Amino acid sequence: MILSKKIRLRPTKEQEEQLWKSVGTARWAYNWALNRQQENFKQGKKFISNNDLRKELTDLKQTEAFKWLFGVSNNVTKQAIKDACNAFLRFFNGKARYPTFKSRKKSKPSFYNDNGKLEVKKNLVLIEKVGWIKTSEQIPIGVTYTNPRISFDNKYWYISVGIEQKFEQLELTDEIVGIDLGIKELAVCSNGQVFKNVNKTKEIRKNEKRLRRLQRSVSRKYEMNKEGNRFVKTSNIIKLEKEIQHLHRRLANIRNNHIHQATNAIVKTKPSTVVMENLNVSGMLKNRHLSRAIANQRFREFIRRMKYKCEKYGIEFIQADRFYRSSKMCSSYGTIKNNLKLSNRVYSCECGLKLDRDVNASLNLAGYGRLTV
């Protein structure tokens, strides 16, 4: 099984400048390839292959206007074009939304490094056209690296590499665990485990309050420094925007850590099967009253991590049918309660069952797993 290892880089100022050049070039190449595909599609022509676009870019590099592309590794642009082509194909195969252009402000700064040219020494890694960069910890030596990517998280630079790893299979129990995801609690399990909504904790609320204040402060400063139709970015605005970036990073790290802790705790109970809902997260986000709360819970990320951790330890992972009525069904007799509202937090059935609706849903998911296995 290939798992990613993410390690912090410690570049010098000169190396960091070159890293930013690679990031900018990768973003430009992705947008250029995507624009070519979109224009081609509008004209009713066939999809342009990845190889054809790469040849076209090679010819462009020979012109005076695009000589600056030689300043970074050619593998950076090659992979960016490949990523754009894959994004376009995934849309036509119904696996993703229509691809959009990468933005300097909103897109994650990252680029690809050829795995064949990635060299590792003790606490050092060689990045093409950048040089040997110090690392915070040792990258495994003598293994095959997959899809090396360098990225920036608004504070530090990182390198992530996929490494083939083998894990001992756990001695699993016969238990089937149903997991119901929600807003009140992140996850409620049929075995009694409950994982809180981390967004209701004091730390998250304190950071979000500070974030709102900083954003209002930046907005006021922009208005104060407005010159005609343009805004002037002062040194104070730059300083505040950096603080905002660090707060966004802090909030994301807290949520990521909570999901890791929750999924690890479920796997450590060693169930034979884990059953979850196949949630339509995109559809759920259209509810303007709950969209923010749903986005902050990061359901997709929870499901993704649960899935690979089950595969890691040989646990069967099942996703129930999207239209399976886990919330509206009685876990005792199987009767359906069609008039159940979102505000009804206790499931009451004619048979006398009174149960928290999330616990009831998790028990139904566990029952789905017993019928499937």
Side-chain angles (χ1 to χ4, degrees), residues 22-23 25-26 29 72-81 111-112:
S22 298
V23 165
T25 305
V72 302
S73 169
N74 66 329
N75 290 307
V76 171
T77 52
K78 282 181 180 179
Q79 187 63 39
I81 291 169
F111 65 93
Y112 172 83

Side-chain angles (χ1 to χ4, degrees), residues 250-308:
R250 173 69 179 155
L251 288 166
N253 286 344
I254 292 170
R255 289 172 180 135
N256 280 335
N257 180 64
H258 184 61
I259 291 173
H260 263 308
Q261 298 289 345
T263 50
N264 278 340
I266 294 167
V267 168
K268 282 179 182 177
T269 61
K270 303 177 183 179
S272 62
T273 308
V274 167
V275 187
M276 296 186 72
E277 295 171 285
N278 184 11
L279 295 173
N280 179 17
V281 180
S282 299
M284 292 166 70
L285 289 171
K286 291 177 182 177
N287 184 332
R288 64 188 179 90
H289 301 290
L290 298 174
S291 58
R292 185 178 176 186
I294 291 166
N296 287 340
Q297 287 289 64
R298 307 193 68 192
F299 291 147
R300 276 202 192 107
E301 187 64 14
F302 187 100
I303 294 168
R304 186 189 71 82
R305 291 185 184 178
M306 196 72 245
K307 195 172 183 178
Y308 89 73

Side-chain angles (χ1 to χ4, degrees), residues 177-181 187-189 266 274-277 302 306 362 365:
V177 176
I179 305 172
D180 180 69
L181 300 180
V188 176
C189 304
I266 294 167
V274 167
V275 187
M276 296 186 72
E277 295 171 285
F302 187 100
M306 196 72 245
S362 67
L365 288 167

Side-chain angles (χ1 to χ4, degrees), residues 8-11 15 123-125 132-136:
R8 183 184 160 192
L9 299 174
R10 296 181 179 272
Q15 289 173 335
N123 292 330
L124 287 170
V125 61
W132 290 97
I133 301 179
K134 290 181 180 179
T135 57
S136 292

